Amino acid sequence: MTNPLFYAKIILFGEYGMIEDSQGLVVPYSFYKGTLKFSDENSDSEFEKKSNEHLIKYANFLEKLNLPEKFKLDVNRFKEDISHRLFFDSNIPQGYGVGSSGALVAAIFEKYSFQKYSPESISKDDLKNIKAVFGEMESYFHGKSSGMDPLICYMNLPILIENKENLDKVAIPKGEEGKGAIFLIDSGITGETGPMIQIFFEKMKTEGFRKTLKEEFIRYNNACIDSFLKKDMNPFFRNLKKLSHWAYEHFRPMIPESIFNIWKKGLDSNAYYLKLCGSGGGGYILGFTKDYEKAEKMLEGFQKEVIYRF
């Protein structure tokens, strides 16, 4: 029996803002995926061996977690499988903001939770509770986790985060072959979530930053989500430019150096707008354009992947 695949995720909107109660919009990304597998007895793969060793350490961490009764894991069965060469087979790049640890947490919960859930029929309350459980499970990797990454990987559905307390499944407008696109740019370096979040919390200690985050970032961010879901592209790009400009001014330490110039170029030319994908510091950057052909020419030399057309 093969185990299910768990896809990567992309935070389209809400990075950092979700910590301060902004809305968020997160979508699965099937280009990257991971699944639990057993190594072949004759395999001498270094990747499989390392993954198996990581799972041993992770199982020890999970054993100490005190999860609610409804969401408990069969850690003994997990450890038994690890002793039979279980590993996580994944092509999700680490440190790229697309949920490598989230997919692993989702895969383990799906396979080893005593009580089984069906993503299609999960209630809004259970969704909230599972997100909290995932936050505890993922804290092993990042120190502090909202649980959002594993939730998206587990549900494999777009999720709208309304605020800290409420989230729900949402329908994304169907992509179509138009000139416009949402795309990823590879910054060429990996990022680490922990240090980036640390920088954010340091910034939050200053009143001026807190004020502009609440009054400007969250307003532009929520307006982008609202107009994107309604497929209302003029106000969408208007607010997106403000959001991109705000990030250029205030998230400077999170923007990889290789991206500075092209970020500004997009703002100056209005040919495309960039924003962070996840915590920043490296990995992918998100791009939005009304004319992908034009943007692609301007971004020559950078590796790009289109994730949505309109």
PDB file of all heavy atoms in Angstrom, residues 281-299:
ATOM      1  N   GLY A 281      14.622  35.918   3.661  1.00  0.00           N
ATOM      2  CA  GLY A 281      16.003  35.609   4.023  1.00  0.00           C
ATOM      3  C   GLY A 281      16.708  34.767   2.976  1.00  0.00           C
ATOM      4  O   GLY A 281      17.914  34.561   3.020  1.00  0.00           O
ATOM      5  N   GLY A 282      15.946  34.268   2.039  1.00  0.00           N
ATOM      6  CA  GLY A 282      16.476  33.383   0.991  1.00  0.00           C
ATOM      7  C   GLY A 282      15.311  32.623   0.394  1.00  0.00           C
ATOM      8  O   GLY A 282      14.161  33.018   0.536  1.00  0.00           O
ATOM      9  N   GLY A 283      15.610  31.518  -0.270  1.00  0.00           N
ATOM     10  CA  GLY A 283      14.532  30.705  -0.846  1.00  0.00           C
ATOM     11  C   GLY A 283      13.826  31.439  -1.972  1.00  0.00           C
ATOM     12  O   GLY A 283      14.435  32.187  -2.733  1.00  0.00           O
ATOM     13  N   TYR A 284      12.522  31.215  -2.058  1.00  0.00           N
ATOM     14  CA  TYR A 284      11.745  31.820  -3.140  1.00  0.00           C
ATOM     15  C   TYR A 284      11.218  33.200  -2.773  1.00  0.00           C
ATOM     16  O   TYR A 284      10.980  33.507  -1.609  1.00  0.00           O
ATOM     17  CB  TYR A 284      10.551  30.930  -3.489  1.00  0.00           C
ATOM     18  CG  TYR A 284      10.923  29.680  -4.250  1.00  0.00           C
ATOM     19  CD1 TYR A 284      10.641  28.424  -3.742  1.00  0.00           C
ATOM     20  CD2 TYR A 284      11.562  29.769  -5.489  1.00  0.00           C
ATOM     21  CE1 TYR A 284      10.983  27.267  -4.435  1.00  0.00           C
ATOM     22  CE2 TYR A 284      11.909  28.627  -6.195  1.00  0.00           C
ATOM     23  CZ  TYR A 284      11.614  27.382  -5.665  1.00  0.00           C
ATOM     24  OH  TYR A 284      11.966  26.255  -6.360  1.00  0.00           O
ATOM     25  N   ILE A 285      11.024  34.011  -3.809  1.00  0.00           N
ATOM     26  CA  ILE A 285      10.325  35.291  -3.716  1.00  0.00           C
ATOM     27  C   ILE A 285       9.117  35.160  -4.640  1.00  0.00           C
ATOM     28  O   ILE A 285       9.203  34.528  -5.694  1.00  0.00           O
ATOM     29  CB  ILE A 285      11.253  36.445  -4.200  1.00  0.00           C
ATOM     30  CG1 ILE A 285      12.476  36.572  -3.278  1.00  0.00           C
ATOM     31  CG2 ILE A 285      10.505  37.765  -4.294  1.00  0.00           C
ATOM     32  CD1 ILE A 285      12.193  37.040  -1.868  1.00  0.00           C
ATOM     33  N   LEU A 286       7.993  35.748  -4.251  1.00  0.00           N
ATOM     34  CA  LEU A 286       6.785  35.678  -5.076  1.00  0.00           C
ATOM     35  C   LEU A 286       6.707  36.873  -6.014  1.00  0.00           C
ATOM     36  O   LEU A 286       6.991  38.004  -5.605  1.00  0.00           O
ATOM     37  CB  LEU A 286       5.554  35.698  -4.182  1.00  0.00           C
ATOM     38  CG  LEU A 286       4.938  34.368  -3.782  1.00  0.00           C
ATOM     39  CD1 LEU A 286       3.888  34.586  -2.701  1.00  0.00           C
ATOM     40  CD2 LEU A 286       4.282  33.664  -4.971  1.00  0.00           C
ATOM     41  N   GLY A 287       6.320  36.620  -7.256  1.00  0.00           N
ATOM     42  CA  GLY A 287       6.130  37.701  -8.224  1.00  0.00           C
ATOM     43  C   GLY A 287       4.713  37.685  -8.775  1.00  0.00           C
ATOM     44  O   GLY A 287       4.098  36.621  -8.913  1.00  0.00           O
ATOM     45  N   PHE A 288       4.194  38.876  -9.083  1.00  0.00           N
ATOM     46  CA  PHE A 288       2.851  39.023  -9.650  1.00  0.00           C
ATOM     47  C   PHE A 288       2.962  39.979 -10.834  1.00  0.00           C
ATOM     48  O   PHE A 288       3.597  41.034 -10.720  1.00  0.00           O
ATOM     49  CB  PHE A 288       1.893  39.652  -8.631  1.00  0.00           C
ATOM     50  CG  PHE A 288       1.705  38.842  -7.369  1.00  0.00           C
ATOM     51  CD1 PHE A 288       2.670  38.849  -6.369  1.00  0.00           C
ATOM     52  CD2 PHE A 288       0.546  38.089  -7.166  1.00  0.00           C
ATOM     53  CE1 PHE A 288       2.501  38.122  -5.194  1.00  0.00           C
ATOM     54  CE2 PHE A 288       0.378  37.354  -6.001  1.00  0.00           C
ATOM     55  CZ  PHE A 288       1.346  37.369  -5.015  1.00  0.00           C
ATOM     56  N   THR A 289       2.358  39.619 -11.944  1.00  0.00           N
ATOM     57  CA  THR A 289       2.418  40.502 -13.114  1.00  0.00           C
ATOM     58  C   THR A 289       1.168  40.385 -13.968  1.00  0.00           C
ATOM     59  O   THR A 289       0.534  39.326 -14.006  1.00  0.00           O
ATOM     60  CB  THR A 289       3.660  40.184 -13.978  1.00  0.00           C
ATOM     61  OG1 THR A 289       3.686  41.059 -15.103  1.00  0.00           O
ATOM     62  CG2 THR A 289       3.660  38.738 -14.486  1.00  0.00           C
ATOM     63  N   LYS A 290       0.839  41.481 -14.665  1.00  0.00           N
ATOM     64  CA  LYS A 290      -0.281  41.444 -15.627  1.00  0.00           C
ATOM     65  C   LYS A 290       0.218  40.930 -16.977  1.00  0.00           C
ATOM     66  O   LYS A 290      -0.568  40.566 -17.833  1.00  0.00           O
ATOM     67  CB  LYS A 290      -0.864  42.848 -15.814  1.00  0.00           C
ATOM     68  CG  LYS A 290      -1.678  43.339 -14.626  1.00  0.00           C
ATOM     69  CD  LYS A 290      -2.224  44.733 -14.914  1.00  0.00           C
ATOM     70  CE  LYS A 290      -3.013  45.261 -13.723  1.00  0.00           C
ATOM     71  NZ  LYS A 290      -3.467  46.637 -13.948  1.00  0.00           N
ATOM     72  N   ASP A 291       1.551  40.964 -17.169  1.00  0.00           N
ATOM     73  CA  ASP A 291       2.128  40.565 -18.458  1.00  0.00           C
ATOM     74  C   ASP A 291       3.404  39.760 -18.199  1.00  0.00           C
ATOM     75  O   ASP A 291       4.495  40.320 -18.069  1.00  0.00           O
ATOM     76  CB  ASP A 291       2.419  41.835 -19.282  1.00  0.00           C
ATOM     77  CG  ASP A 291       2.938  41.508 -20.684  1.00  0.00           C
ATOM     78  OD1 ASP A 291       3.332  40.343 -20.919  1.00  0.00           O
ATOM     79  OD2 ASP A 291       2.964  42.414 -21.532  1.00  0.00           O
ATOM     80  N   TYR A 292       3.242  38.440 -18.144  1.00  0.00           N
ATOM     81  CA  TYR A 292       4.376  37.589 -17.748  1.00  0.00           C
ATOM     82  C   TYR A 292       5.517  37.639 -18.759  1.00  0.00           C
ATOM     83  O   TYR A 292       6.693  37.620 -18.376  1.00  0.00           O
ATOM     84  CB  TYR A 292       3.921  36.139 -17.522  1.00  0.00           C
ATOM     85  CG  TYR A 292       5.060  35.278 -17.022  1.00  0.00           C
ATOM     86  CD1 TYR A 292       5.632  35.509 -15.770  1.00  0.00           C
ATOM     87  CD2 TYR A 292       5.600  34.247 -17.800  1.00  0.00           C
ATOM     88  CE1 TYR A 292       6.702  34.755 -15.308  1.00  0.00           C
ATOM     89  CE2 TYR A 292       6.673  33.486 -17.343  1.00  0.00           C
ATOM     90  CZ  TYR A 292       7.215  33.749 -16.095  1.00  0.00           C
ATOM     91  OH  TYR A 292       8.270  32.999 -15.642  1.00  0.00           O
ATOM     92  N   GLU A 293       5.184  37.748 -20.033  1.00  0.00           N
ATOM     93  CA  GLU A 293       6.224  37.765 -21.076  1.00  0.00           C
ATOM     94  C   GLU A 293       7.188  38.946 -20.860  1.00  0.00           C
ATOM     95  O   GLU A 293       8.408  38.810 -20.920  1.00  0.00           O
ATOM     96  CB  GLU A 293       5.562  37.881 -22.448  1.00  0.00           C
ATOM     97  CG  GLU A 293       6.222  36.996 -23.497  1.00  0.00           C
ATOM     98  CD  GLU A 293       5.426  37.002 -24.792  1.00  0.00           C
ATOM     99  OE1 GLU A 293       4.435  36.241 -24.886  1.00  0.00           O
ATOM    100  OE2 GLU A 293       5.798  37.790 -25.666  1.00  0.00           O
ATOM    101  N   LYS A 294       6.584  40.104 -20.552  1.00  0.00           N
ATOM    102  CA  LYS A 294       7.367  41.321 -20.316  1.00  0.00           C
ATOM    103  C   LYS A 294       8.212  41.164 -19.036  1.00  0.00           C
ATOM    104  O   LYS A 294       9.404  41.466 -19.022  1.00  0.00           O
ATOM    105  CB  LYS A 294       6.415  42.513 -20.184  1.00  0.00           C
ATOM    106  CG  LYS A 294       7.106  43.844 -20.041  1.00  0.00           C
ATOM    107  CD  LYS A 294       6.079  44.960 -19.916  1.00  0.00           C
ATOM    108  CE  LYS A 294       6.772  46.291 -19.658  1.00  0.00           C
ATOM    109  NZ  LYS A 294       5.790  47.367 -19.413  1.00  0.00           N
ATOM    110  N   ALA A 295       7.571  40.670 -17.977  1.00  0.00           N
ATOM    111  CA  ALA A 295       8.287  40.503 -16.700  1.00  0.00           C
ATOM    112  C   ALA A 295       9.437  39.518 -16.843  1.00  0.00           C
ATOM    113  O   ALA A 295      10.526  39.723 -16.308  1.00  0.00           O
ATOM    114  CB  ALA A 295       7.304  40.024 -15.623  1.00  0.00           C
ATOM    115  N   GLU A 296       9.182  38.451 -17.603  1.00  0.00           N
ATOM    116  CA  GLU A 296      10.196  37.403 -17.780  1.00  0.00           C
ATOM    117  C   GLU A 296      11.460  37.972 -18.430  1.00  0.00           C
ATOM    118  O   GLU A 296      12.577  37.664 -18.013  1.00  0.00           O
ATOM    119  CB  GLU A 296       9.614  36.271 -18.638  1.00  0.00           C
ATOM    120  CG  GLU A 296      10.434  35.010 -18.564  1.00  0.00           C
ATOM    121  CD  GLU A 296       9.851  33.872 -19.389  1.00  0.00           C
ATOM    122  OE1 GLU A 296       9.121  34.143 -20.358  1.00  0.00           O
ATOM    123  OE2 GLU A 296      10.151  32.722 -19.065  1.00  0.00           O
ATOM    124  N   LYS A 297      11.264  38.834 -19.421  1.00  0.00           N
ATOM    125  CA  LYS A 297      12.413  39.460 -20.100  1.00  0.00           C
ATOM    126  C   LYS A 297      13.193  40.324 -19.120  1.00  0.00           C
ATOM    127  O   LYS A 297      14.419  40.339 -19.108  1.00  0.00           O
ATOM    128  CB  LYS A 297      11.922  40.317 -21.272  1.00  0.00           C
ATOM    129  CG  LYS A 297      11.543  39.496 -22.505  1.00  0.00           C
ATOM    130  CD  LYS A 297      11.439  40.384 -23.745  1.00  0.00           C
ATOM    131  CE  LYS A 297      11.008  39.586 -24.952  1.00  0.00           C
ATOM    132  NZ  LYS A 297       9.536  39.442 -25.036  1.00  0.00           N
ATOM    133  N   MET A 298      12.471  41.062 -18.277  1.00  0.00           N
ATOM    134  CA  MET A 298      13.124  41.964 -17.318  1.00  0.00           C
ATOM    135  C   MET A 298      13.842  41.191 -16.203  1.00  0.00           C
ATOM    136  O   MET A 298      14.726  41.718 -15.545  1.00  0.00           O
ATOM    137  CB  MET A 298      12.096  42.919 -16.708  1.00  0.00           C
ATOM    138  CG  MET A 298      11.590  43.953 -17.699  1.00  0.00           C
ATOM    139  SD  MET A 298      10.266  44.962 -17.008  1.00  0.00           S
ATOM    140  CE  MET A 298      11.171  45.972 -15.825  1.00  0.00           C
ATOM    141  N   LEU A 299      13.422  39.943 -16.000  1.00  0.00           N
ATOM    142  CA  LEU A 299      14.003  39.133 -14.912  1.00  0.00           C
ATOM    143  C   LEU A 299      14.933  38.046 -15.453  1.00  0.00           C
ATOM    144  O   LEU A 299      15.116  37.001 -14.838  1.00  0.00           O
ATOM    145  CB  LEU A 299      12.878  38.502 -14.080  1.00  0.00           C
ATOM    146  CG  LEU A 299      12.019  39.505 -13.295  1.00  0.00           C
ATOM    147  CD1 LEU A 299      10.724  38.860 -12.821  1.00  0.00           C
ATOM    148  CD2 LEU A 299      12.796  40.076 -12.121  1.00  0.00           C
TER     149      LEU A 299
END
